[in-house]
Amino acid sequence: MSDNVVHLHKNTEPAPEADNLTTLTVVPEPAAALPVPLWVRSGRAIRTMVTHEATKTTARAVARHTLYVAGGVRIAAKRTWDGRTASRYERMFRAAEAAGNHEVAAEWEERGQHFREARHRRRMDLLHSPLDAAKGVAVTAGMGVGSLVALGVVMAVATKDVTQVVTPLMATIEFINLLITIVQVVWGPALGIGPFLALLALWGVGRHQQAAPAWALPANVRNSEGEPITPSIVVKALRDLGVPALRNAIKEMGDAGASMLGPIRIAGCGVEVDVTLPSGVSTIEVQNRRRKLAENLTRHEHEVFITIPTAARTVRLWVADSGALDEPIGPSPLVTDDTLKADYVKGRAPWGEDLRGDAAALSVYQRHLLITGLSNQGKTAALRALALWVALDRSVEFWVGDLKGVGDWAMFEGLATRFIQGPTDDHVIQVTMMLEDAVEEMNRRLMEPPGTQFPALIVNVDEAQVAFMCPLKDEDKRPYGGSSSTSRYFMAARKIHNQGRAVNVLLWQGTQDPTDQNLPKLVREGAHTRASLALGTESQSRMALGDKAVNGGAAPHLLRPGLDKGTLVVASDGIQAPAGQASITVRTHYISTEDATAIADRAKALRDGVTTLTVIEPGEDRDPLADILAALGDAPRVRTKDVLKRLATLNEQAYGSWSFLDLKRVLDDAGAEPHKSDGVMVVSRDRVAQALANRDTDGSASIDG
């Protein structure tokens, strides 16, 4: 029979040949879906059943309880063996000997010898025990029968019945016969139930010790995050680390690896333990398996830190309490203590807390500083926190260049004597000139007599990578950015790194995502204090902190971007780190912009008033006399040389080429001529202010910038 159906319908539209023709249309019937074979449906059903969560749970339960029995047998056998042999004493003896504790080793050897002697005496006694037992049974039986007969005689005399003589003896025999009957009745069922009771006892032992693989354990045991760190957990984590030499060494140790561990100490929000690795196992093999070690300890990777202490072939493990590192630390003492003062020379900046929960304080005295990390990880906040503390020492002078330009450093206006803020190439030029002025100040100080004391001058450049990547060149074709011998910013930074520390001229830089292009090798290695937030790769960590720190366990590339904001790995001799460690991890205090402004206001109150020179954008009319008054600040008089420098910082295009004659011409025309004071030419603020007040208001003194 055909699968097609013939449909008759009338064509309602007119045709050229004829009207109202009836047409036949053959419409194919839709093909029926092929039936799914039975074996396919059965396979799907079986797969669904096997992969169902209920099936998995049942399979785990069956395997778990079966393995409990096997584990119980193993544990019971080991306990029996330890109780019957001297293996326990030998194990403790070898552990003490391996630890170098010879006194304890000798004590355990003596205990083992006493155990062997007592066991030998017991075995020798067994040779004589059958004869002694037979004699004892005979004597006991004779005395028992005699006692029963005597009791019967007493009863016979009392009752005057001779048959009572054997009554006690017969009663005893009947009692013994009853016991035999009871044993005959109970013995059969006991033989059947006994093995099940034994299995139940072994199952109980295995269940109590959780003697089953982790995959078979219940979910509440399997997901045991946060369980306390014990010696057995640490040894098991090391054994399962995937290092064959370490696993085999632990198996061969009589104490199952306990001798490798030092004391487990509480350290802040976690615990710390030193592990002495066996011969043939390198510390780098453990460091490279940080994630697996953390998982073996039921922790996340960021909750386990591995460092190298001074002892040879030793790793120091710090294991955080589960979730503790996700909790914020307390506020900065700069925020909570309004009376806090700073001491640049002897003091330490309260920067945050280390992983042990102890205060992490940094000495900045004569130390160049570099902080780097990925974008938006807290670099500016960490750098600013140090600057705010130092600002509370009124003797310290700040020059600030903020190449981000979003107002993170705005509170330093009126606190820093030079302040440049903005992300453009023009701002890079101005920051470069600021560094070059710092080099001139450094050279001037170096020319002073030996022993001269200088106040600290800290040149702070945030987002320094913008300067290194600037493509502009000056009139002499010298690039502002780059890392060549003609690069102006690079060479100024190098000069300050080379000699600035000796005369308290310091360079602090913050940069992000370090590479050889935006953070040249010579610049990053010139910093005494190097700190890094979260980074992307180990090679970047080596750029930020150096090979020594990374080889010693520093790992900013393992910090979690976004989650570990404000957490720094610091390599510096200015911060107290555990003995033998080249770096320390610090969770810095976060100081908000509002709190930073309040702290800056306290720092300003400690000073006599600071006039901040800010760069004004070129392209506007300049008023030289007004700019000179602004450059003088609140000082009654300023040397002409310093006035020229301040004017150049104020506007390089307008005043960068000025000489003393240009300055003198403007002042002479205004009637505020420079004069000598203590043998040097100075400009009097009162004279300039009076000349500005008396000047005509037609603006004739302005020049086109």
Side-chain angles (χ1 to χ4, degrees):
M1 184 175 179
S2 175
D3 292 335
N4 295 332
V5 179
V6 177
H7 294 273
L8 293 177
H9 64 86
K10 190 174 183 179
N11 190 358
T12 59
E13 297 183 3
E17 295 83 359
D19 296 334
N20 300 327
L21 292 178
T22 300
T23 61
L24 294 178
T25 304
V26 179
V27 180
E29 189 75 11
L34 294 176
V36 179
L38 179 61
W39 64 270
V40 174
R41 286 181 288 173
S42 301
R44 292 175 180 173
I46 293 173
R47 184 177 63 182
T48 302
M49 181 183 66
V50 170
T51 58
H52 196 273
E53 187 60 32
T55 305
K56 294 180 180 179
T57 303
T58 303
R60 278 198 297 265
V62 172
R64 177 169 67 250
H65 293 292
T66 303
L67 293 170
Y68 278 164
V69 176
V73 171
R74 177 177 53 82
I75 294 171
K78 188 175 184 302
R79 289 175 179 175
T80 303
W81 178 260
D82 286 345
R84 302 289 295 177
T85 66
S87 61
R88 178 186 293 114
Y89 302 97
E90 293 176 0
R91 186 165 61 247
M92 300 305 294
F93 166 75
R94 286 197 297 270
E97 189 177 39
N101 197 336
H102 300 293
E103 293 182 1
V104 176
E107 181 181 350
W108 281 109
E109 185 179 23
E110 184 179 358
R111 289 184 182 182
Q113 186 62 33
H114 290 165
F115 172 83
R116 294 186 184 91
E117 292 175 357
R119 183 180 60 185
H120 178 71
R121 287 195 300 270
R122 289 194 300 271
R123 290 176 177 175
M124 294 302 295
D125 291 342
L126 290 176
L127 298 176
H128 306 286
S129 58
L131 181 59
D132 294 338
K135 289 180 180 180
V137 170
V139 172
T140 303
M143 294 178 62
V145 170
S147 300
L148 293 174
V149 171
L151 179 60
V153 170
V154 172
M155 292 176 62
V157 172
T159 59
K160 298 180 181 181
D161 185 1
V162 178
T163 60
Q164 295 293 326
V165 173
V166 296
T167 298
L169 186 59
M170 294 304 296
T172 302
I173 293 173
E174 291 176 0
F175 177 72
I176 294 174
N177 184 54
L178 177 62
L179 292 179
I180 293 173
T181 303
I182 294 173
V183 170
Q184 288 175 344
V185 173
V186 175
W187 184 253
L191 288 178
I193 298 175
F196 292 101
L197 295 177
L199 288 175
L200 183 62
L202 293 173
W203 174 86
V205 172
R207 181 176 179 274
H208 180 71
Q209 297 292 331
Q210 297 293 332
W215 59 266
L217 295 176
N220 60 336
V221 177
R222 193 166 60 249
N223 299 329
S224 55
E225 291 188 4
E227 62 180 344
I229 300 299
T230 62
S232 61
I233 289 177
V234 176
V235 172
K236 186 175 183 299
L238 293 169
R239 185 195 66 194
D240 299 337
L241 201 55
V243 181
L246 180 58
R247 181 179 62 250
N248 295 334
I250 291 176
K251 288 182 178 179
E252 293 173 0
M253 291 180 184
D255 60 348
S259 60
M260 297 193 307
L261 306 184
I264 297 180
R265 304 175 295 272
I266 295 177
C269 57
V271 296
E272 186 179 72
V273 59
D274 287 351
V275 181
T276 302
L277 300 176
S279 178
V281 181
S282 171
T283 56
I284 193 66
E285 293 181 278
V286 177
Q287 284 184 295
N288 290 341
R289 290 170 171 82
R290 177 186 175 189
R291 174 175 295 181
K292 189 170 185 179
L293 178 62
E295 292 172 349
N296 291 347
L297 293 169
T298 65
R299 295 295 191 274
H300 296 291
E301 183 179 11
H302 71 277
E303 294 176 327
V304 175
F305 288 81
I306 306 172
T307 54
I308 309 299
T310 53
R313 214 171 65 240
T314 301
V315 293
R316 177 168 293 161
L317 307 180
W318 185 86
V319 185
D321 299 335
S322 185
L325 294 183
D326 296 327
E327 298 293 330
I329 65 173
S332 170
L334 293 174
V335 176
T336 58
D337 187 0
D338 293 342
T339 63
L340 185 66
K341 300 290 181 63
D343 186 343
Y344 162 75
V345 177
K346 299 180 180 179
R348 290 178 179 267
W351 211 5
E353 295 180 358
D354 62 17
L355 295 179
R356 295 162 181 79
D358 299 329
L362 178 70
S363 172
V364 299
Y365 175 63
Q366 292 188 344
R367 289 179 175 88
H368 301 300
L369 174 68
L370 172 65
I371 299 180
T372 187
L374 297 178
S375 177
N376 195 31
Q377 298 303 309
K379 167 181 54 61
T380 297
L383 183 60
R384 190 177 65 185
L386 293 177
L388 288 169
W389 177 80
V390 180
L392 294 174
D393 184 340
R394 59 180 298 174
S395 67
V396 178
E397 181 180 1
F398 272 101
W399 294 0
V400 175
D402 176 16
L403 293 177
K404 184 188 295 183
V406 296
D408 289 337
W409 294 87
M411 68 288 303
F412 275 79
E413 189 167 357
L415 183 60
T417 51
R418 298 194 183 188
F419 184 76
I420 301 167
Q421 180 178 248
T424 67
D425 290 338
D426 288 337
H427 294 99
V428 171
I429 294 173
Q430 295 155 9
V431 169
T432 302
M433 295 178 61
M434 182 176 71
L435 256 68
E436 291 173 341
D437 287 346
V439 172
E440 291 186 14
E441 173 64 18
M442 175 190 73
N443 292 333
R444 183 190 69 79
R445 294 183 179 190
L446 289 170
M447 297 301 293
E448 295 292 333
T452 304
Q453 298 297 319
F454 302 102
L457 170 60
I458 297 178
V459 183
N460 192 338
V461 181
D462 195 12
E463 304 296 342
Q465 78 278 355
V466 177
F468 286 113
M469 300 300 290
C470 179
L472 295 187
K473 296 182 180 181
D474 62 13
E475 301 82 6
D476 299 327
K477 304 301 181 182
R478 295 180 58 198
Y480 288 96
S483 57
S484 67
S485 59
T486 59
S487 299
R488 293 180 60 176
Y489 182 91
F490 170 76
M491 290 306 298
R494 286 294 301 136
K495 290 175 181 178
I496 295 174
H497 278 168
N498 288 339
Q499 296 179 296
R501 183 194 64 82
V503 289
N504 276 332
V505 176
L506 305 179
L507 177 59
W508 289 7
Q509 296 182 98
T511 182
Q512 63 176 256
D513 203 10
T515 65
D516 284 329
Q517 289 71 39
N518 65 24
L519 187 59
K521 177 181 175 66
L522 293 177
V523 171
R524 61 181 185 250
E525 291 185 351
H528 303 97
T529 296
R530 301 166 71 174
S532 176
L533 296 116
L535 289 172
T537 63
E538 181 179 335
S539 62
Q540 287 185 315
S541 297
R542 294 184 181 276
M543 290 181 189
L545 301 178
D547 291 336
K548 179 180 179 182
V550 175
N551 292 338
H557 56 284
L558 296 181
L559 295 174
R560 302 167 298 166
L563 297 177
D564 291 324
K565 278 188 176 182
T567 299
L568 286 164
V569 182
V570 184
S572 172
D573 61 351
I575 193 169
Q576 185 175 0
Q581 291 185 203
S583 65
I584 185 173
T585 302
V586 177
R587 304 172 69 198
T588 59
H589 297 294
Y590 174 70
I591 301 177
S592 67
T593 302
E594 293 77 10
D595 292 332
T597 302
I599 297 169
D601 290 340
R602 283 161 36 201
K604 294 173 186 177
L606 296 175
R607 302 166 188 255
D608 295 331
V610 174
T611 300
T612 299
L613 296 183
T614 59
V615 175
I616 302 173
E617 295 294 336
E620 59 181 322
D621 289 342
R622 308 301 310 164
D623 185 343
L625 192 60
D627 287 344
I628 292 172
L629 182 62
L632 292 175
D634 295 332
R637 63 184 64 86
V638 178
R639 297 191 334 180
T640 53
K641 180 180 179 182
D642 293 336
V643 173
L644 289 172
K645 287 183 180 180
R646 295 182 183 185
L647 288 172
T649 302
L650 190 64
N651 192 291
E652 170 64 18
Q653 184 174 352
Y655 304 115
S657 60
W658 269 33
S659 65
F660 172 74
L661 294 178
D662 297 314
L663 176 64
K664 186 176 184 300
R665 173 179 55 79
V666 173
L667 293 174
D668 287 348
D669 292 343
E673 301 85 355
H675 63 281
K676 279 193 174 183
S677 175
D678 296 330
V680 295
M681 294 297 293
V682 298
V683 179
S684 171
R685 187 183 188 283
D686 291 339
R687 291 186 182 183
V688 175
Q690 186 64 37
L692 192 61
N694 296 334
R695 192 186 60 184
D696 294 334
T697 59
D698 59 1
S700 60
S702 65
I703 65 174
D704 185 6

